[in-house]
């Protein structure tokens, strides 16, 4: 036996029926705070600002990045890439 029940109601009506709290005000406050923080951090995503931050360390970040890339392209046995397997 298969029974289908369709209920047509708004989210507010469903919350009231199920006895759930209305968190609309909390959600709006949270969204405003997230938007404020995102807008405050937008400047840090600017490529010019990123380069200024990286060069402020005297090239240390560039060297660390290059070491990371070299480490990612070498296999644990010391060979380069995945084609350096010895048979």
């Amino acid at each position: 036996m298969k029974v289908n029940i369709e209920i047509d109601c708004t989210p507010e009506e469903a919350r009231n029926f199920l006895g759930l709290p209305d968190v609309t005000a909390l959600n709006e406050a949270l969204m405003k705070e997230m938007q404020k923080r995102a807008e405050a951090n937008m400047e840090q995503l600017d490529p010019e600002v990123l380069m200024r931050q990286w060069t402020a360390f005297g090239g240390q970040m560039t060297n660390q990045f290059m070491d990371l890339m070299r480490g990612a392209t070498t296999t644990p046995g010391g060979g380069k890439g995945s084609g350096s397997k010895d048979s």
Side-chain angles (χ1 to χ4, degrees):
M1 180 200 293
K2 187 174 185 179
V3 177
N4 290 329
I5 299 174
E6 262 188 60
I7 299 175
D8 186 21
C9 65
T10 66
E12 183 180 349
E13 292 170 337
R15 272 194 307 271
N16 288 336
F17 178 75
L18 295 172
L20 298 173
D22 185 10
V23 294
T24 305
L26 177 64
N27 189 37
E28 287 176 4
L30 181 64
M31 292 304 294
K32 285 179 185 177
E33 180 66 23
M34 287 177 63
Q35 184 176 6
K36 184 176 78 173
R37 289 183 183 193
E39 288 171 356
N41 291 325
M42 287 301 272
E43 181 183 314
Q44 293 179 3
L45 298 176
D46 183 22
E48 185 177 328
V49 173
L50 283 174
M51 290 305 293
R52 212 173 323 128
Q53 289 174 349
W54 286 359
T55 56
F57 290 110
Q60 254 182 331
M61 287 297 273
T62 305
N63 291 339
Q64 287 179 355
F65 178 75
M66 292 303 288
D67 289 343
L68 177 70
M69 290 298 111
R70 280 188 209 101
T73 58
T74 36
T75 59
K80 293 240 178 210
S82 60
S84 65
K85 287 193 232 174
D86 294 324
S87 298

